[in-house]
Amino acid sequence: ETIPKTMARVLEKPLLEWMVESIYPHANKIIIVVGVFKEKIIEHFQNSKYNDKIEFVVQEKQLGTAHAPLAAESKVTTPYFAVLAADSFWSPDFYKLFNEAVGRKIPFLTGVRVEDGERLGVIETNGKQLVKIVEKPAKAKNCLVNTSAYFVPKSFFQNLKNVKPSKRGELEVTDSLTEFAASNAMEVLEFSGFWTDVGYFWHLLEANQYAL
């Protein structure tokens, strides 16, 4: 209730700093979309060694995962861009895999295989190509799920703008990715290492356990 989830600590370092530290050597610009408790994120990174590559964008209303990247549209000046959900904790080898895939300049989405996908977006594929993402399906077991780590051309902003509110009233990036995949080839990159999104307190414990 007092800090943004992205500033929750893993071994005394904020979740978001683990991510920024890992992508800093490979990125020419890091755009951080902030909203609730934005001052705490901005202050932390303005006083960090990563500040020279960081720009902040304020998302005035939190309307969903498709709305957040749209807030940064004016800051994206390259033909392609990557989006990473800042409440995720990855093993270090993920960033090597992700950066190598970015170098191929082909749109892709990163997924991980989990035992239970009922609270996540389940990925359906045709070979290695994305077909669609189904949000929070019932009885989804041993499935590939969306990690909100993807690489797309700048034209993807139009797909973000096209999305309509879901049944829970949010603008879901999964709908934008599904629409994009209907007319564009989008590879699904399966990552087999450690990943957790910090949706609950026990996920933060798992991240700390792995980091130790």
Side-chain angles (χ1 to χ4, degrees):
E1 293 182 351
T2 59
I3 63 167
K5 183 164 56 170
T6 55
M7 296 300 286
R9 304 285 170 137
V10 174
L11 303 191
E12 299 190 354
K13 186 160 62 179
L15 265 177
L16 181 54
E17 187 170 341
W18 285 91
M19 180 174 285
V20 168
E21 178 182 65
S22 298
I23 64 177
Y24 180 84
H26 312 293
N28 59 357
K29 183 192 296 186
I30 300 171
I31 303 167
I32 300 179
V33 180
V34 295
V36 179
F37 300 121
K38 60 181 180 292
E39 296 83 4
K40 297 191 176 185
I41 298 174
I42 293 170
E43 181 181 1
H44 180 86
F45 285 98
Q46 279 183 337
N47 295 314
S48 75
K49 59 185 177 182
Y50 312 110
N51 187 47
D52 62 316
K53 290 187 179 181
I54 291 176
E55 292 187 36
F56 297 97
V57 174
V58 178
Q59 183 188 15
E60 298 294 350
K61 295 181 180 179
Q62 284 67 56
L63 302 180
T65 53
H67 184 251
L70 268 179
E73 181 178 12
S74 64
K75 299 286 186 180
V76 175
T77 56
T78 50
Y80 288 83
F81 65 100
V83 177
L84 295 163
D87 59 353
S88 292
F89 185 83
W90 299 89
S91 59
D93 49 345
F94 161 76
Y95 294 100
K96 182 175 184 294
L97 179 73
F98 192 89
N99 189 56
E100 287 174 352
V102 163
R104 292 187 287 130
K105 296 291 190 292
I106 298 172
F108 69 87
L109 166 72
T110 309
V112 297
R113 195 162 295 279
V114 299
E115 292 182 9
D116 184 356
E118 289 186 16
R119 71 175 187 87
L120 300 164
V122 174
I123 296 171
E124 295 185 12
T125 62
N126 180 11
K128 289 187 175 182
Q129 297 299 310
L130 175 66
V131 175
K132 64 178 178 178
I133 304 171
V134 182
E135 274 294 338
K136 300 175 175 57
K139 300 178 181 177
K141 304 298 181 184
N142 187 28
C143 51
L144 199 63
V145 298
N146 173 39
T147 62
S148 293
Y150 54 93
F151 179 72
V152 285
K154 199 171 180 181
S155 61
F156 183 71
F157 281 117
Q158 188 56 51
N159 297 99
L160 294 170
K161 293 171 184 175
N162 291 344
V163 71
K164 301 291 189 293
S166 64
K167 291 180 181 178
R168 58 179 185 163
E170 293 192 8
L171 301 175
E172 311 276 5
V173 74
T174 48
D175 292 336
S176 301
L177 289 164
T178 295
E179 181 191 61
F180 179 83
S183 54
N184 300 272
M186 186 164 203
E187 186 177 327
V188 175
L189 188 68
E190 184 172 347
F191 178 67
S192 58
F194 181 85
W195 166 82
T196 184
D197 70 323
V198 182
Y200 296 99
F201 289 115
W202 52 87
H203 297 135
L204 191 61
L205 294 175
E206 290 170 3
N208 274 277
Q209 183 180 33
Y210 176 82
L212 282 167

